[in-house]
Amino acid sequence: MDKLTVAQARLESAIGKIVLLQGWVRTRRDSKGGFSFLELNDGSCQGNVQVIAEAALPNYESEVKKLHTGCSVSVEGLVKASPAKGQATEVPATKITVHGWADADAYPIQKKGATFEFLRTISHLRPRTNTFGAIARVRNCVCKSIHDFFQEQGFLYVHTPIITASDCEGAGELFKVTTLDLAKAPLLPSPPGGEGSGVRGIDFHQDFFAKPAFLTVSGQLQAEIFACALGKVYTFGPTFRAENSNTPRHLAEFWMIEPEMAFYDLDDNMSLAEAFIKRIIKDALDRCPDDMKFFQERIDKEILARLDGILKSDFLRVPYTEAIDILQKSGQAFEFPVKWGMDLQTEHERFLTETHFKKPTILFDYPRAIKPFYMRVNDDGKTVRAMDVLVPGVGEIIGGSQREERFDVLEGNMKEKGLNLAHYQWYLDLRRYGTVPHSGFGLGLERTLLFLTGMANIRDVIPFPRTPGNAEF
RNA sequence: UCCCCGAUAGCUCAAUGGUAGAGCGAGCGGCUGUUAACCGCUAGGUUCUAGGUUCGAGUCCUAGUCGGGGAGCCA
């Protein structure tokens, strides 16, 4: 007897085998003939195996007829071709063992219509639904695809720290990491001048790391250290933002991929980003065809056409200045008027990629004033070698840049932005000793999944979403 | 954080200020291979919480909690 997954048992090649199947009952249908059909799922694929439970089974009346959604069972039987439509194989059971009941009155998941909002309140049970099973499998596929893509090209996977003492680049609010008892936090001595002359801050010298520490908002600066030693590297790990954002596109804890490459200029960076996105799409379509078909049929009727369109098109590369020109001449009534020097709003980005160009678009050479200190300054002195990759349906999916490799220019940028140079000497050392032109970008895993699956809310493409006011499960 | 909307049976939703309902799910019965099976019957409610207006509140008012959409921030 072979122990098969549901995915294996659904294949015609399984016909003739005596098998053991184990999983959860999705539905039971009683036939007019006095026997029952069980739909069995074990998470190995989107589809179920149809199990035939004859009345002759010793526990037919006592147990089988009481099975319903959520019960766990083992089934033994001979796989045969199914005479009816809907499945290639089916398994007439010779034995059915019930492992766990699921009280139908209390079990919250049923055959029909639950909203994603409701399922979010039962995150411990929602992986048992079609949609969340499909998301889990596609998410897994994307993660493998990311590693495959970089490993095949000789990138090194680098683990950058999750706890960091550098409030790098001011990329959003940080979560503080401390072992201090906040109710009894040690205070700094009163400043000179006596009582009331100043604020008595918390004395972080007495904290675990002897200084304020945070959860990382980006592994980029540390990735640069390794790129400037080993060539091509990437990070892939959790990232934290303490921003009070309540939107379908933001999480307090999410996963980010950040490649960083020595001797790559911005054009190389763009080419890599384009190939990377296409590879993820292609792998998802090739390796998860049933799940992708499910998203097409049940979640977003245009998802396959949109992904196919992205695979077939060359990404446009448009300078920021030209994009501003296009927006100003578009005749569109934007809520935020367009003028050179401003950061583009969501409405502008979506107009460009969805209405005007109708294809993935990479905008580059943004105004220096609205971008971080580490981006390479162009010869015009007004713009930097930044890039944003915009895709129809989602908007910005990648942000990246060529990094400033010239010591003097970088130091000047840091002073201009008011950074404390003492905290960044190690970063400046990368330019002080053997500096190289280099580039990189960041891609949010969950945003990628949104655009891949057509799901509308980022809280539904991560197993356990963390958002303001919610850290359940 | 700001603006708008919502909360009624296990789930999805109805209900002019006047007796709280339906579909699905569940239980029981029926039906000779079903595919979100089908047919009949039954059970199932602190209408989010706390106040208020009213003869009377699911419905109107105030505050709060939770959720959704949009904006900002960003990935």
Side-chain angles (χ1 to χ4, degrees):
Chain A
M1 185 163 60
D2 296 324
K3 191 164 169 174
L4 295 193
T5 62
V6 166
Q8 292 167 329
R10 282 171 56 84
L11 300 173
E12 277 181 44
S13 57
I15 292 172
K17 288 182 181 164
I18 295 172
V19 300
L20 168 65
L21 302 174
Q22 299 180 300
W24 293 266
V25 173
R26 281 294 172 79
T27 70
R28 189 194 82 233
R29 292 183 297 270
D30 295 332
S31 133
K32 299 173 224 179
F35 59 99
S36 300
F37 297 94
L38 300 175
E39 293 281 346
L40 190 70
N41 188 282
D42 65 357
S44 59
C45 64
Q46 180 62 229
N48 306 318
V49 156
Q50 174 163 282
V51 173
I52 317 299
E54 295 284 356
L57 288 168
N59 59 345
Y60 183 73
E61 285 297 332
S62 62
E63 294 193 316
V64 174
K65 286 206 77 173
K66 292 175 181 162
L67 288 171
H68 33 65
T69 310
C71 297
S72 51
V73 294
S74 287
V75 173
E76 295 176 25
L78 173 68
V79 182
K80 59 172 225 179
S82 178
K85 279 187 181 173
Q87 60 279 319
T89 65
E90 63 183 31
V91 180
T94 52
K95 184 178 178 187
I96 295 179
T97 309
V98 180
H99 297 289
W101 296 98
D103 180 4
D105 267 337
Y107 190 58
I109 295 173
Q110 294 168 0
K111 265 187 269 191
K112 234 171 132 174
T115 59
F116 293 137
E117 292 82 12
F118 169 69
L119 291 172
R120 230 170 273 150
T121 68
I122 50 167
S123 288
H124 58 306
L125 296 173
R126 67 179 185 171
R128 302 183 185 196
T129 63
N130 286 332
T131 303
F132 287 90
I135 290 165
R137 286 184 294 270
V138 170
R139 187 177 168 112
N140 174 70
C141 169
V142 169
C143 292
K144 177 169 191 319
S145 187
I146 286 163
H147 285 297
D148 287 352
F149 176 82
F150 287 122
Q151 295 288 333
E152 286 165 14
Q153 298 193 39
F155 280 67
L156 214 63
Y157 179 30
V158 173
H159 294 124
T160 51
I162 288 169
I163 298 173
T164 169
S166 58
D167 173 2
C168 71
E169 67 174 289
E173 294 293 313
L174 299 151
F175 285 102
K176 214 160 250 151
V177 176
T178 181
T179 52
L180 293 177
D181 180 348
L182 293 182
K184 296 182 281 192
L187 298 178
L188 291 167
S190 279
E195 292 295 318
S197 67
V199 180
R200 297 182 73 192
I202 293 174
D203 182 7
F204 283 102
H205 289 100
Q206 298 185 46
D207 201 356
F208 189 90
F209 295 108
K211 59 169 74 166
F214 312 93
L215 294 180
T216 182
V217 293
S218 166
Q220 179 198 317
L221 301 191
Q222 291 93 342
E224 284 187 52
I225 292 174
F226 274 75
C228 291
L230 299 160
K232 296 189 289 187
V233 305
Y234 68 106
T235 73
F236 182 7
T239 308
F240 307 88
R241 304 275 165 92
E243 222 103 82
N244 189 10
S245 341
N246 293 284
T247 86
R249 295 177 303 282
H250 289 85
L251 291 165
E253 175 183 294
F254 62 100
W255 287 67
M256 187 152 69
I257 300 96
E258 295 176 290
E260 192 70 36
M261 300 74 65
F263 308 108
Y264 266 50
D265 64 17
L266 192 67
D267 286 326
D268 300 328
N269 205 18
M270 291 184 201
S271 299
L272 184 76
E274 176 171 348
F276 180 48
I277 289 177
K278 285 179 173 172
R279 171 62 180 272
I280 290 171
I281 295 173
K282 186 173 181 304
D283 283 350
L285 295 172
D286 287 351
R287 297 172 182 174
C288 300
D290 290 346
D291 291 321
M292 294 307 294
K293 191 166 153 248
F294 174 84
F295 290 122
Q296 165 79 15
E297 285 168 1
R298 305 294 282 271
I299 305 296
D300 181 349
K301 300 274 185 234
E302 286 158 24
I303 191 70
L304 292 183
R306 186 154 67 226
L307 294 176
D308 202 48
I310 291 171
L311 279 184
K312 286 185 177 137
S313 47
D314 292 325
F315 290 19
L316 282 177
R317 302 180 183 192
V318 182
Y320 167 91
T321 302
E322 195 178 317
I324 291 289
D325 199 46
I326 289 166
L327 289 167
Q328 284 175 334
K329 289 177 178 162
S330 69
Q332 290 281 312
F334 293 115
E335 191 189 337
F336 294 87
V338 178
K339 76 171 195 245
W340 199 98
M342 69 180 286
D343 213 355
L344 293 179
Q345 304 293 315
T346 304
E347 57 173 344
H348 305 135
E349 294 181 341
R350 297 190 72 140
F351 172 81
L352 288 169
T353 188
E354 289 168 15
T355 310
H356 188 77
F357 295 124
K358 295 188 169 64
K359 55 178 1 186
T361 304
I362 306 177
L363 299 183
F364 64 99
D365 284 354
Y366 280 75
R368 184 179 179 177
I370 57 171
K371 291 293 182 184
F373 69 93
Y374 52 73
M375 294 188 176
R376 192 180 197 282
V377 180
N378 278 309
D379 290 344
D380 62 13
K382 294 188 302 186
T383 59
V384 291
R385 304 242 79 190
M387 68 171 198
D388 281 353
V389 181
L390 313 178
V391 292
V394 172
E396 183 185 337
I397 191 167
I398 279 179
S401 69
Q402 182 171 337
R403 320 306 189 189
E404 182 55 74
E405 84 282 11
R406 297 163 296 187
F407 183 94
D408 294 344
V409 180
L410 179 61
E411 196 183 45
N413 279 349
M414 294 167 88
K415 285 178 181 162
E416 208 174 280
K417 306 266 181 195
L419 294 161
N420 183 345
L421 293 189
H423 295 167
Y424 293 91
Q425 285 309 310
W426 59 268
Y427 191 68
L428 284 163
D429 268 357
L430 302 179
R431 281 74 178 168
R432 202 174 265 131
Y433 311 117
T435 189
V436 292
H438 62 289
S439 299
F441 61 80
L443 171 106
L445 176 65
E446 287 76 18
R447 290 211 179 153
T448 305
L449 284 165
L450 286 183
F451 119 92
L452 214 50
T453 61
M455 292 293 290
N457 195 313
I458 201 162
R459 299 167 192 207
D460 296 328
V461 295
I462 188 167
F464 305 104
R466 270 78 181 97
T467 53
N470 188 0
E472 292 304 304
F473 306 102

